[in-house]
Amino acid sequence: MHDRRRFLAAASCAAFSSILNAQHAPCCGPISSGGLRLAALLDGMHVESLWLANEHVNWETGEPDRGAGYEGPGNHTHCSAFAAAAAKRLGVYLLRPPEHGQLLLSNAQADWIPGPEGRKAGWRPVPNMHQAQHLANEGSLVVVLFKNPDPHKPGHIAIVRPSEKSARTLEENGPEVIQAGEHNHDKINVRVGFENHPGAFPNGVRYYVHSLT
């Protein structure tokens, strides 16, 4: 009898441990060598000290270019400029100046990427956030976009960065991203990164991928 109880207890512990391991296992595969290169490039852009809100910046470098006292247009947030700059460094075209100014650029990018010019440039839709995180882990350039339903207000764009987050964390918070915005972040999730845009996460955002191979 005691042996049976010990056996059942051990089996129960093993099952519980298996469940815990499954909950914390990476949701979307390991980070490949291409994913590591992508993460290193994104980290090297120093987004938390460049492309800062309330400054007019050079879209490509993120450096202020109008002085601290500038109060004209184009000095609010720079999510779209940062995304375009990162894409350029990766050899990918994403709608950017001078083809479109920095004002309301993220909304324009949200229209451009799924359109004929975006498709011609190599962008493809991603069906869900699990696949978006998986593709980033493999080293592809993945962006997440929200077009503001008010055409006079900015939307938002971020870049999905490689992450070995669990399936549960992915479902709750979305993929890991790097972004400029009201606050710039090297690492943040989609739920928090897009929280200033009601209706964005989880069903209002769209994911797109461009191969880097």
Side-chain angles (χ1 to χ4, degrees), residues 91-140:
V92 173
Y93 183 81
L94 174 62
L95 185 64
R96 65 196 187 206
E99 288 78 22
H100 192 286
Q102 291 193 49
L103 289 178
L104 301 176
L105 177 56
S106 58
N107 285 339
Q109 290 169 336
D111 287 332
W112 179 87
I113 282 185
E117 292 300 317
R119 292 195 300 271
K120 183 178 179 181
W123 290 95
R124 297 292 181 267
V126 179
N128 54 61
M129 59 186 178
H130 183 281
Q131 185 69 2
Q133 187 66 70
H134 173 71
L135 289 167
N137 287 3
E138 288 192 329
S140 294

Side-chain angles (χ1 to χ4, degrees), residues 49-72:
S49 58
L50 299 168
W51 290 277
L52 297 179
N54 303 315
E55 295 180 352
H56 192 284
V57 303
N58 178 302
W59 74 269
E60 192 170 354
T61 67
E63 295 278 358
D65 61 0
R66 296 287 178 88
Y70 176 78
E71 296 182 355

